Amino acid sequence: MKKSRQQDVIPSNNYPSLFRRLGAWLYDSLIIIAVLMLAGGVGVALTAGLSSLGIINTSGYLDISDYMSRHPSASILYSSYLVTVAISFFTYFWCQAGQTLGMRAWKLRLQNSDGSPIRPTQALIRLATSAFGLGNLLAPFSTRKQSFQDIMAECEMIVLDKAI
């Protein structure tokens, strides 16, 4: 039988500065670019494979990239796939450990006020209201240094004494 992992309850009294939030955001931006490049390569390879098998017709397009960016269905499908990969990345890390890789490097953790990990719904709300990181600019003006997305998702970001 698998033992359930007891979640460490971390007191919520040490909130990050704007500089620390932006550092983690920059770090995560570089990571998500790499993840999207990898996911994009998989998508292009899959499309090229389907084209070589004759399952899809790419005639009339310069190459696979042109097909994926200009074909009405393929461009929507490919863009949706990449957005899903990015959303899945953040949702997974925030809900499992409360930290993305950038947040881990900057010793930040996202959690509910009781110390529990956020739920997938909260992660989706946080992503939808983050405005690509611009919501962090509200943090210096909040009493608990919460960003706009933290307020909307009813969660908080704290600074850890040590990396978990």
Side-chain angles (χ1 to χ4, degrees), residues 57-144:
N57 182 10
T58 58
S59 62
Y61 297 96
L62 297 174
D63 55 15
I64 296 297
S65 174
D66 188 41
Y67 171 79
M68 293 177 75
S69 61
R70 291 193 316 121
H71 187 273
S73 301
S75 63
I76 291 171
L77 186 62
Y78 183 63
S79 297
S80 299
Y81 161 67
L82 292 178
V83 167
T84 301
V85 167
I87 289 171
S88 298
F89 173 85
F90 287 107
T91 301
Y92 175 78
F93 281 105
W94 288 342
C95 293
Q96 289 301 311
Q99 297 176 297
T100 57
L101 299 173
M103 292 167 70
R104 183 174 286 256
W106 285 86
K107 297 181 182 172
L108 299 176
R109 180 174 177 196
L110 188 63
Q111 63 182 22
N112 287 312
S113 59
D114 65 357
S116 64
I118 67 170
R119 298 177 312 277
T121 306
Q122 288 176 287
L124 294 175
I125 291 169
R126 193 168 194 277
L127 280 167
T129 58
S130 68
F132 301 103
L134 291 176
N136 287 315
L137 298 177
L138 179 66
F141 306 105
S142 170
T143 56
R144 292 175 45 206

Side-chain angles (χ1 to χ4, degrees), residues 4-81:
S4 63
R5 188 177 80 184
Q6 184 180 9
Q7 196 66 13
D8 296 330
V9 177
I10 298 173
S12 55
N13 56 5
N14 192 8
Y15 302 111
S17 66
L18 178 62
F19 174 74
R20 186 168 244 169
R21 282 177 175 270
L22 293 179
W25 177 84
L26 178 63
Y27 195 104
D28 282 334
S29 295
L30 297 174
I31 292 169
I32 198 66
I33 288 169
V35 168
L36 290 175
M37 288 173 62
L38 182 62
V42 169
V44 168
L46 182 62
T47 304
L50 293 173
S51 176
S52 68
L53 293 173
I55 296 172
I56 59 173
N57 182 10
T58 58
S59 62
Y61 297 96
L62 297 174
D63 55 15
I64 296 297
S65 174
D66 188 41
Y67 171 79
M68 293 177 75
S69 61
R70 291 193 316 121
H71 187 273
S73 301
S75 63
I76 291 171
L77 186 62
Y78 183 63
S79 297
S80 299
Y81 161 67

